[in-house]
Amino acid sequence: MPGTASDRGPQPTLTGRHVRLRPWRPDDVDAVHAACQDPDIQRWTQVPVPYAREYAEGFVRVAAPDTWAAGGALFAVEPRDGGPLAGSIGLFPPRDGFAEAGYWTAPGSRGRGFTAEALRLLSRWAFDPCGLRRVELLVDPGNAGSRGVAERAGFRAEGTVRQRFLHRGRPSDVVLYALLATDPRPAP
Ligand SMILES: CC(C)(COP(=O)(O)OP(=O)(O)OC[C@H]1O[C@@H](n2cnc3c(N)ncnc32)[C@H](O)[C@@H]1OP(=O)(O)O)[C@@H](O)C(=O)NCCC(=O)NCCS
């Protein structure tokens, strides 16, 4: 099971066929700041709007190590064969054997299957070696891109949870997606 930073060791790098999930580095700040100017990231995620450089600094330098220390993990997603930062994916600190995942991908890196592969990698790692039994996603019903990622990664929609989010001050419904350790999964 995920535990405290002291007994988890360093955050690993997870390598797939096309993408690599690695710990955040201080030199990622500019790329995070640039990506988070994207209107879709601002529309569908909880990033602050407007997105100032200090938020990217806080994400990379504070939120990432704090999340690892709390039992979760935030990863930078990069193409395996090199290239600029593709996106962000993370697993929030688990409880009772399950955890919620979240992600965004920079506009220039979309449409290549990177996010679905990153989600498959993250989930496999969450199950083994981390020992979770369930990974969840909370997706706005209108977010076709994120629903596509969830389904491509083998997640199942379990229903609509009404007014589960307070999105920029407004209650909004979410579709609850989940993958169990025992579910069939597409090949990585
Ligand atoms: C949603 C998002 C992460 C998709 O990233 P991506 O790297 O383009 O996704 P992938 O290339 O891995 O696509 C996975 C699947 O989703 C589908 N998909 C991706 N974007 C889509 C869209 N806008 N509309 C419909 N389907 C879409 C793809 O066709 C693919 O399905 P397929 O393999 O059956 O063809 C990206 O658009 C994004 O960052 N959006 C803003 C932030 C966000 O919504 N985050 C999630 C919050 S819950």
Side-chain angles (χ1 to χ4, degrees):
M1 289 290 286
T4 61
S6 56
D7 60 20
R8 297 181 83 194
Q11 186 173 335
T13 292
L14 312 177
T15 304
R17 286 184 62 188
H18 303 102
V19 296
R20 181 181 297 118
L21 277 51
R22 60 154 174 83
W24 288 98
R25 302 188 303 242
D27 65 352
D28 292 318
V29 168
D30 287 342
V32 170
H33 178 237
C36 290
Q37 305 308 312
D38 172 60
D40 284 338
I41 294 176
Q42 296 193 358
R43 176 175 182 192
W44 297 120
T45 76
Q46 306 282 14
V47 300
V49 177
Y51 193 85
R53 197 173 189 284
E54 69 193 80
Y55 298 126
E57 295 259 6
F59 179 72
V60 166
R61 294 181 188 276
V62 182
D66 281 2
T67 300
W68 182 252
L74 304 183
F75 291 97
V77 180
E78 61 184 12
R80 184 175 168 169
D81 57 3
L85 177 78
S88 168
I89 193 162
L91 194 68
F92 300 107
R95 63 184 168 91
D96 299 337
F98 78 92
E100 181 190 340
Y103 43 77
W104 53 254
T105 295
S109 296
R110 292 178 189 159
R112 297 188 219 169
F114 283 178
T115 317
E117 182 181 327
L119 182 58
R120 291 196 295 272
L121 277 171
L122 182 78
S123 303
R124 278 197 314 176
W125 176 76
F127 298 138
D128 180 17
C130 295
L132 300 188
R133 65 168 195 285
R134 172 180 168 94
V135 175
E136 291 186 350
L137 299 168
L138 301 176
V139 183
D140 188 291
N143 190 347
S146 189
R147 298 185 71 162
V149 168
E151 285 160 22
R152 190 71 190 84
F155 282 63
R156 289 192 211 168
E158 297 184 335
T160 300
V161 188
R162 295 176 303 155
Q163 298 194 5
R164 170 63 172 74
F165 261 171
L166 197 59
H167 189 60
R168 313 225 181 277
R170 304 182 72 160
S172 69
D173 298 349
V174 294
V175 179
L176 174 61
Y177 279 91
L179 185 69
L180 302 186
T182 50
D183 279 344
R185 274 167 265 164

